[in-house]
Amino acid sequence: MIKKVLIILTITSLLSSCATYKPSNVNDLCSILSEEDWYESALDSQEEWGTPLHVQLAIMHQESKFNRTIRPDMEWFLGFIPIGRPSDAYGYAQALESTWETYIRSTGNWNAKRDEFDDAIHFIGWYTFQSHKKLGISKWDAKAQYLAYHEGWGGYKRGTYRSKSWLLRVSEKVKRRSLEYARQYKRCRPQLDDNIRGWF
C-alpha cells in the first residue's frame, strides 16, 4: 500500500514539474531561444506579423515568465473559501478565452492551444499587428504595445491605463526588458541562425 502511494506521489510530482517547466534563465533571450529550441517559431511570428521577436518575448515574459500552465491566482473569501479566478487568462501569453477565439477565427489556426509556445508567440504577433492596425501603435514600441495588450484595444483607445500608475510602471518594465532582449539578440543571433541552418 505504501509503495503504491509513493509511486502515485512520484508520478504526480513528475507531471506537475513537466506542466510548469520553463526556461532556466527567463531574463536571457539567448538562453531562452537556444535552450527551448523556440527560435524558429519566434522568427516565423516576427516575419508574419512584423513585430520584432524581442518585443513579443518581452510581453510574454511579463505575462507568464514562460510558464505554460500559469493562470491568475485564485481569489478567496475569508482567506479560505475559494471564489474563483479574476479571469480565464491562461498559458504563455495569458490570453483570455474570448480573445483566443477571436484569434483562431481571424487566422484559421483551429488547433491552436494557449499552452503551446508556437501558438502563443503567434498569438502575440497577431495581437500586436492588430494593435498597430487599429490604434497606430508602432510594432517596435513595447511599452504602448503592452498597454494595448493588457487593456484591450477599446480600453487603450479610451486611455484606461492613464489612471493605473501600477500598470504604467509595468509597461516601463516591459520596455526595458524589450531593449535588453534586443541587445542580447544582437549578440547571439549568428549562433541561433547557424543552429537553424544546421537542420538542413
Side-chain angles (χ1 to χ4, degrees), residues 48-60:
E48 181 164 0
W49 303 112
T51 303
L53 61 83
H54 61 267
V55 172
Q56 296 184 53
L57 290 169
I59 290 172
M60 187 177 284

Side-chain angles (χ1 to χ4, degrees), residues 34-119:
S34 58
E35 180 182 328
E36 295 302 321
D37 197 23
W38 286 342
Y39 183 44
E40 195 166 359
S41 297
L43 268 186
D44 288 346
S45 182
Q46 175 179 268
E47 288 169 7
E48 181 164 0
W49 303 112
T51 303
L53 61 83
H54 61 267
V55 172
Q56 296 184 53
L57 290 169
I59 290 172
M60 187 177 284
H61 178 283
Q62 181 59 43
E63 290 299 281
S64 69
K65 302 295 189 293
F66 304 97
N67 184 335
R68 66 181 296 176
T69 59
I70 195 168
R71 299 177 187 273
D73 291 336
M74 181 69 72
E75 294 183 340
W76 303 83
F77 177 66
L78 299 178
F80 65 94
I81 302 171
I83 58 175
R85 302 178 193 275
S87 80
D88 61 9
Y90 175 70
Y92 287 115
Q94 284 298 279
L96 298 172
E97 183 66 39
S98 58
T99 313
W100 191 260
E101 289 172 359
T102 300
Y103 157 73
I104 288 174
R105 288 194 301 271
S106 174
T107 61
N109 191 8
W110 302 106
N111 295 318
K113 296 178 176 63
R114 290 182 287 173
D115 57 4
E116 292 290 340
F117 178 84
D118 294 3
D119 298 326

Side-chain angles (χ1 to χ4, degrees), residues 123-135:
F123 169 82
I124 292 175
W126 168 82
Y127 196 98
T128 53
F129 172 83
Q130 297 298 328
S131 295
H132 171 70
K133 184 178 174 183
K134 296 172 185 289
L135 304 169

Side-chain angles (χ1 to χ4, degrees), residues 147-158:
L147 290 171
Y149 192 87
H150 189 278
E151 297 295 275
W153 299 309
Y156 183 89
K157 199 167 186 178
R158 294 191 303 274

